Amino acid sequence: MLFGMLIPLSIPAIAQSKKKKENIEFTDKLWVGGSINSGLQFGNRTFAFGLTPIVGYEMVPNFSIGPFVRLDYYYQRLTVSPPHIKFESLDVGPGVFARVDILRQYFAQIEYERAFLQRPITDAAGNPLIGPDNKVLKETVPQNYVYIGAGYSAGSNVRYGVSIHYNILNDAFSIRIPWDYRIGIRVQL
């Protein structure tokens, strides 16, 4: 009898504890970050630098998905006539990723990127075509990349990490090299 009277009294407490568990804010599972890509180059009249801002959402514990945008700047002074001709480009590659955290320190990631790469227009001999403003003429080449990778990260709400990724769609027409090395940061909001 006493047990029967306690059941109706416990229902509000059970419902309240379920509400507390279900009351997780969207931002509690959101994280932001970014990385410096392996496109970093100096020397031989060339400079290249790449950044990738990223936003992740933890769907379930240790599994995140989200968008990113890869930005690669490339500059090269060419030894052609007339002198002081330069080629500059800003490659943009929007994409999406899925990441699995393993033992909090390691992660595996797969990502798809639709890259829009600017490259010089060349003549039949492979020489770049020069415009009236003494700049190299360029065209935008769209390419698809699917990277699989793994990495190590350390920290708590702010995590620093390194990773290596491989483009499984690499072929003779890929402009980028297939391996991509990254140094990054991740901040839990």
Side-chain angles (χ1 to χ4, degrees), residues 52-74:
T52 304
I54 188 169
V55 176
Y57 183 78
E58 194 172 39
M59 299 293 289
V60 295
N62 301 319
F63 178 75
S64 299
I65 62 169
F68 66 88
V69 177
R70 182 173 172 146
L71 305 167
D72 289 331
Y73 172 77
Y74 183 79

PDB file of all heavy atoms in Angstrom, residues 52-74:
ATOM      1  N   THR A  52      42.596  26.452 -42.435  1.00  0.00           N
ATOM      2  CA  THR A  52      41.291  25.814 -42.561  1.00  0.00           C
ATOM      3  C   THR A  52      40.473  26.040 -41.296  1.00  0.00           C
ATOM      4  O   THR A  52      40.677  25.357 -40.294  1.00  0.00           O
ATOM      5  CB  THR A  52      41.435  24.297 -42.818  1.00  0.00           C
ATOM      6  OG1 THR A  52      42.239  24.097 -43.965  1.00  0.00           O
ATOM      7  CG2 THR A  52      40.090  23.637 -43.017  1.00  0.00           C
ATOM      8  N   PRO A  53      39.552  27.019 -41.300  1.00  0.00           N
ATOM      9  CA  PRO A  53      38.624  27.139 -40.174  1.00  0.00           C
ATOM     10  C   PRO A  53      37.589  26.011 -40.237  1.00  0.00           C
ATOM     11  O   PRO A  53      37.186  25.585 -41.312  1.00  0.00           O
ATOM     12  CB  PRO A  53      37.972  28.501 -40.366  1.00  0.00           C
ATOM     13  CG  PRO A  53      38.386  28.998 -41.702  1.00  0.00           C
ATOM     14  CD  PRO A  53      39.422  28.094 -42.264  1.00  0.00           C
ATOM     15  N   ILE A  54      37.166  25.550 -39.050  1.00  0.00           N
ATOM     16  CA  ILE A  54      36.282  24.391 -38.974  1.00  0.00           C
ATOM     17  C   ILE A  54      35.276  24.597 -37.834  1.00  0.00           C
ATOM     18  O   ILE A  54      35.592  25.218 -36.829  1.00  0.00           O
ATOM     19  CB  ILE A  54      37.121  23.104 -38.761  1.00  0.00           C
ATOM     20  CG1 ILE A  54      36.294  21.848 -38.875  1.00  0.00           C
ATOM     21  CG2 ILE A  54      37.871  23.139 -37.453  1.00  0.00           C
ATOM     22  CD1 ILE A  54      37.138  20.577 -38.932  1.00  0.00           C
ATOM     23  N   VAL A  55      34.065  24.080 -38.005  1.00  0.00           N
ATOM     24  CA  VAL A  55      33.035  24.103 -36.968  1.00  0.00           C
ATOM     25  C   VAL A  55      32.527  22.672 -36.829  1.00  0.00           C
ATOM     26  O   VAL A  55      32.155  22.044 -37.819  1.00  0.00           O
ATOM     27  CB  VAL A  55      31.860  25.039 -37.334  1.00  0.00           C
ATOM     28  CG1 VAL A  55      30.769  24.968 -36.285  1.00  0.00           C
ATOM     29  CG2 VAL A  55      32.339  26.459 -37.519  1.00  0.00           C
ATOM     30  N   GLY A  56      32.514  22.172 -35.590  1.00  0.00           N
ATOM     31  CA  GLY A  56      32.059  20.814 -35.361  1.00  0.00           C
ATOM     32  C   GLY A  56      30.888  20.755 -34.403  1.00  0.00           C
ATOM     33  O   GLY A  56      30.737  21.624 -33.539  1.00  0.00           O
ATOM     34  N   TYR A  57      30.059  19.748 -34.579  1.00  0.00           N
ATOM     35  CA  TYR A  57      28.935  19.502 -33.677  1.00  0.00           C
ATOM     36  C   TYR A  57      28.998  18.044 -33.243  1.00  0.00           C
ATOM     37  O   TYR A  57      29.026  17.137 -34.086  1.00  0.00           O
ATOM     38  CB  TYR A  57      27.602  19.799 -34.367  1.00  0.00           C
ATOM     39  CG  TYR A  57      26.430  19.623 -33.443  1.00  0.00           C
ATOM     40  CD1 TYR A  57      26.129  20.602 -32.496  1.00  0.00           C
ATOM     41  CD2 TYR A  57      25.651  18.484 -33.489  1.00  0.00           C
ATOM     42  CE1 TYR A  57      25.063  20.448 -31.626  1.00  0.00           C
ATOM     43  CE2 TYR A  57      24.573  18.318 -32.626  1.00  0.00           C
ATOM     44  CZ  TYR A  57      24.292  19.302 -31.697  1.00  0.00           C
ATOM     45  OH  TYR A  57      23.240  19.135 -30.835  1.00  0.00           O
ATOM     46  N   GLU A  58      29.041  17.815 -31.932  1.00  0.00           N
ATOM     47  CA  GLU A  58      29.141  16.461 -31.396  1.00  0.00           C
ATOM     48  C   GLU A  58      27.757  15.811 -31.383  1.00  0.00           C
ATOM     49  O   GLU A  58      26.921  16.106 -30.531  1.00  0.00           O
ATOM     50  CB  GLU A  58      29.740  16.498 -29.987  1.00  0.00           C
ATOM     51  CG  GLU A  58      30.170  15.148 -29.502  1.00  0.00           C
ATOM     52  CD  GLU A  58      30.936  15.229 -28.195  1.00  0.00           C
ATOM     53  OE1 GLU A  58      30.559  16.036 -27.326  1.00  0.00           O
ATOM     54  OE2 GLU A  58      31.898  14.476 -28.059  1.00  0.00           O
ATOM     55  N   MET A  59      27.507  14.969 -32.379  1.00  0.00           N
ATOM     56  CA  MET A  59      26.202  14.310 -32.523  1.00  0.00           C
ATOM     57  C   MET A  59      25.927  13.373 -31.350  1.00  0.00           C
ATOM     58  O   MET A  59      24.832  13.373 -30.799  1.00  0.00           O
ATOM     59  CB  MET A  59      26.154  13.514 -33.828  1.00  0.00           C
ATOM     60  CG  MET A  59      26.336  14.363 -35.070  1.00  0.00           C
ATOM     61  SD  MET A  59      24.965  15.482 -35.343  1.00  0.00           S
ATOM     62  CE  MET A  59      23.688  14.340 -35.816  1.00  0.00           C
ATOM     63  N   VAL A  60      26.886  12.543 -31.033  1.00  0.00           N
ATOM     64  CA  VAL A  60      26.862  11.649 -29.878  1.00  0.00           C
ATOM     65  C   VAL A  60      28.250  11.740 -29.264  1.00  0.00           C
ATOM     66  O   VAL A  60      29.175  12.246 -29.904  1.00  0.00           O
ATOM     67  CB  VAL A  60      26.519  10.193 -30.293  1.00  0.00           C
ATOM     68  CG1 VAL A  60      25.109  10.092 -30.851  1.00  0.00           C
ATOM     69  CG2 VAL A  60      27.519   9.641 -31.274  1.00  0.00           C
ATOM     70  N   PRO A  61      28.434  11.286 -28.039  1.00  0.00           N
ATOM     71  CA  PRO A  61      29.774  11.386 -27.453  1.00  0.00           C
ATOM     72  C   PRO A  61      30.852  10.798 -28.375  1.00  0.00           C
ATOM     73  O   PRO A  61      30.695   9.715 -28.930  1.00  0.00           O
ATOM     74  CB  PRO A  61      29.656  10.587 -26.154  1.00  0.00           C
ATOM     75  CG  PRO A  61      28.208  10.730 -25.785  1.00  0.00           C
ATOM     76  CD  PRO A  61      27.467  10.721 -27.101  1.00  0.00           C
ATOM     77  N   ASN A  62      31.893  11.576 -28.588  1.00  0.00           N
ATOM     78  CA  ASN A  62      33.078  11.193 -29.365  1.00  0.00           C
ATOM     79  C   ASN A  62      32.853  11.104 -30.878  1.00  0.00           C
ATOM     80  O   ASN A  62      33.696  10.561 -31.587  1.00  0.00           O
ATOM     81  CB  ASN A  62      33.673   9.875 -28.858  1.00  0.00           C
ATOM     82  CG  ASN A  62      34.060   9.959 -27.409  1.00  0.00           C
ATOM     83  OD1 ASN A  62      34.602  10.966 -26.958  1.00  0.00           O
ATOM     84  ND2 ASN A  62      33.768   8.915 -26.663  1.00  0.00           N
ATOM     85  N   PHE A  63      31.747  11.618 -31.388  1.00  0.00           N
ATOM     86  CA  PHE A  63      31.504  11.627 -32.833  1.00  0.00           C
ATOM     87  C   PHE A  63      30.982  12.997 -33.245  1.00  0.00           C
ATOM     88  O   PHE A  63      29.914  13.413 -32.795  1.00  0.00           O
ATOM     89  CB  PHE A  63      30.508  10.538 -33.243  1.00  0.00           C
ATOM     90  CG  PHE A  63      30.206  10.548 -34.715  1.00  0.00           C
ATOM     91  CD1 PHE A  63      31.131  10.069 -35.626  1.00  0.00           C
ATOM     92  CD2 PHE A  63      29.009  11.056 -35.183  1.00  0.00           C
ATOM     93  CE1 PHE A  63      30.859  10.094 -36.987  1.00  0.00           C
ATOM     94  CE2 PHE A  63      28.725  11.079 -36.545  1.00  0.00           C
ATOM     95  CZ  PHE A  63      29.660  10.593 -37.442  1.00  0.00           C
ATOM     96  N   SER A  64      31.751  13.690 -34.100  1.00  0.00           N
ATOM     97  CA  SER A  64      31.398  15.036 -34.541  1.00  0.00           C
ATOM     98  C   SER A  64      31.304  15.109 -36.055  1.00  0.00           C
ATOM     99  O   SER A  64      31.989  14.368 -36.763  1.00  0.00           O
ATOM    100  CB  SER A  64      32.452  16.042 -34.083  1.00  0.00           C
ATOM    101  OG  SER A  64      32.563  16.072 -32.694  1.00  0.00           O
ATOM    102  N   ILE A  65      30.461  16.028 -36.519  1.00  0.00           N
ATOM    103  CA  ILE A  65      30.371  16.340 -37.945  1.00  0.00           C
ATOM    104  C   ILE A  65      30.362  17.860 -38.085  1.00  0.00           C
ATOM    105  O   ILE A  65      30.099  18.577 -37.110  1.00  0.00           O
ATOM    106  CB  ILE A  65      29.108  15.746 -38.599  1.00  0.00           C
ATOM    107  CG1 ILE A  65      27.841  16.330 -37.965  1.00  0.00           C
ATOM    108  CG2 ILE A  65      29.118  14.232 -38.539  1.00  0.00           C
ATOM    109  CD1 ILE A  65      26.566  15.991 -38.727  1.00  0.00           C
ATOM    110  N   GLY A  66      30.622  18.341 -39.299  1.00  0.00           N
ATOM    111  CA  GLY A  66      30.535  19.779 -39.499  1.00  0.00           C
ATOM    112  C   GLY A  66      31.151  20.239 -40.801  1.00  0.00           C
ATOM    113  O   GLY A  66      31.709  19.453 -41.563  1.00  0.00           O
ATOM    114  N   PRO A  67      31.076  21.560 -41.041  1.00  0.00           N
ATOM    115  CA  PRO A  67      31.647  22.151 -42.251  1.00  0.00           C
ATOM    116  C   PRO A  67      33.031  22.751 -41.996  1.00  0.00           C
ATOM    117  O   PRO A  67      33.418  23.005 -40.853  1.00  0.00           O
ATOM    118  CB  PRO A  67      30.647  23.266 -42.579  1.00  0.00           C
ATOM    119  CG  PRO A  67      30.203  23.733 -41.230  1.00  0.00           C
ATOM    120  CD  PRO A  67      30.166  22.494 -40.365  1.00  0.00           C
ATOM    121  N   PHE A  68      33.763  22.971 -43.070  1.00  0.00           N
ATOM    122  CA  PHE A  68      35.032  23.680 -43.020  1.00  0.00           C
ATOM    123  C   PHE A  68      35.240  24.401 -44.339  1.00  0.00           C
ATOM    124  O   PHE A  68      34.560  24.125 -45.326  1.00  0.00           O
ATOM    125  CB  PHE A  68      36.208  22.729 -42.736  1.00  0.00           C
ATOM    126  CG  PHE A  68      36.467  21.731 -43.836  1.00  0.00           C
ATOM    127  CD1 PHE A  68      37.307  22.042 -44.892  1.00  0.00           C
ATOM    128  CD2 PHE A  68      35.870  20.485 -43.810  1.00  0.00           C
ATOM    129  CE1 PHE A  68      37.535  21.128 -45.911  1.00  0.00           C
ATOM    130  CE2 PHE A  68      36.098  19.557 -44.816  1.00  0.00           C
ATOM    131  CZ  PHE A  68      36.937  19.885 -45.874  1.00  0.00           C
ATOM    132  N   VAL A  69      36.191  25.319 -44.355  1.00  0.00           N
ATOM    133  CA  VAL A  69      36.588  25.994 -45.589  1.00  0.00           C
ATOM    134  C   VAL A  69      38.112  26.044 -45.605  1.00  0.00           C
ATOM    135  O   VAL A  69      38.727  26.627 -44.712  1.00  0.00           O
ATOM    136  CB  VAL A  69      36.033  27.431 -45.690  1.00  0.00           C
ATOM    137  CG1 VAL A  69      36.545  28.105 -46.949  1.00  0.00           C
ATOM    138  CG2 VAL A  69      34.529  27.430 -45.679  1.00  0.00           C
ATOM    139  N   ARG A  70      38.703  25.415 -46.592  1.00  0.00           N
ATOM    140  CA  ARG A  70      40.158  25.442 -46.730  1.00  0.00           C
ATOM    141  C   ARG A  70      40.534  26.636 -47.605  1.00  0.00           C
ATOM    142  O   ARG A  70      39.992  26.817 -48.697  1.00  0.00           O
ATOM    143  CB  ARG A  70      40.647  24.146 -47.368  1.00  0.00           C
ATOM    144  CG  ARG A  70      42.147  24.095 -47.497  1.00  0.00           C
ATOM    145  CD  ARG A  70      42.593  22.746 -47.978  1.00  0.00           C
ATOM    146  NE  ARG A  70      44.011  22.763 -48.283  1.00  0.00           N
ATOM    147  CZ  ARG A  70      44.809  21.743 -48.105  1.00  0.00           C
ATOM    148  NH1 ARG A  70      44.327  20.601 -47.630  1.00  0.00           N
ATOM    149  NH2 ARG A  70      46.077  21.829 -48.402  1.00  0.00           N
ATOM    150  N   LEU A  71      41.470  27.457 -47.111  1.00  0.00           N
ATOM    151  CA  LEU A  71      41.950  28.636 -47.822  1.00  0.00           C
ATOM    152  C   LEU A  71      43.457  28.510 -47.998  1.00  0.00           C
ATOM    153  O   LEU A  71      44.191  28.450 -47.006  1.00  0.00           O
ATOM    154  CB  LEU A  71      41.628  29.906 -47.026  1.00  0.00           C
ATOM    155  CG  LEU A  71      40.157  30.104 -46.662  1.00  0.00           C
ATOM    156  CD1 LEU A  71      40.015  31.196 -45.625  1.00  0.00           C
ATOM    157  CD2 LEU A  71      39.352  30.420 -47.901  1.00  0.00           C
ATOM    158  N   ASP A  72      43.926  28.452 -49.238  1.00  0.00           N
ATOM    159  CA  ASP A  72      45.355  28.332 -49.525  1.00  0.00           C
ATOM    160  C   ASP A  72      45.796  29.513 -50.383  1.00  0.00           C
ATOM    161  O   ASP A  72      45.287  29.711 -51.493  1.00  0.00           O
ATOM    162  CB  ASP A  72      45.661  27.032 -50.287  1.00  0.00           C
ATOM    163  CG  ASP A  72      45.513  25.795 -49.428  1.00  0.00           C
ATOM    164  OD1 ASP A  72      45.724  25.891 -48.211  1.00  0.00           O
ATOM    165  OD2 ASP A  72      45.188  24.731 -49.986  1.00  0.00           O
ATOM    166  N   TYR A  73      46.743  30.307 -49.860  1.00  0.00           N
ATOM    167  CA  TYR A  73      47.310  31.421 -50.604  1.00  0.00           C
ATOM    168  C   TYR A  73      48.632  30.949 -51.218  1.00  0.00           C
ATOM    169  O   TYR A  73      49.435  30.289 -50.558  1.00  0.00           O
ATOM    170  CB  TYR A  73      47.569  32.619 -49.685  1.00  0.00           C
ATOM    171  CG  TYR A  73      48.338  33.724 -50.360  1.00  0.00           C
ATOM    172  CD1 TYR A  73      47.711  34.580 -51.253  1.00  0.00           C
ATOM    173  CD2 TYR A  73      49.701  33.894 -50.125  1.00  0.00           C
ATOM    174  CE1 TYR A  73      48.415  35.588 -51.892  1.00  0.00           C
ATOM    175  CE2 TYR A  73      50.408  34.897 -50.751  1.00  0.00           C
ATOM    176  CZ  TYR A  73      49.772  35.744 -51.634  1.00  0.00           C
ATOM    177  OH  TYR A  73      50.473  36.733 -52.271  1.00  0.00           O
ATOM    178  N   TYR A  74      48.860  31.303 -52.485  1.00  0.00           N
ATOM    179  CA  TYR A  74      50.080  30.895 -53.184  1.00  0.00           C
ATOM    180  C   TYR A  74      50.636  32.101 -53.941  1.00  0.00           C
ATOM    181  O   TYR A  74      49.898  32.801 -54.640  1.00  0.00           O
ATOM    182  CB  TYR A  74      49.759  29.764 -54.157  1.00  0.00           C
ATOM    183  CG  TYR A  74      50.954  29.218 -54.883  1.00  0.00           C
ATOM    184  CD1 TYR A  74      51.817  28.324 -54.253  1.00  0.00           C
ATOM    185  CD2 TYR A  74      51.226  29.587 -56.191  1.00  0.00           C
ATOM    186  CE1 TYR A  74      52.925  27.824 -54.916  1.00  0.00           C
ATOM    187  CE2 TYR A  74      52.331  29.086 -56.857  1.00  0.00           C
ATOM    188  CZ  TYR A  74      53.180  28.205 -56.210  1.00  0.00           C
ATOM    189  OH  TYR A  74      54.270  27.721 -56.861  1.00  0.00           O
TER     190      TYR A  74
END
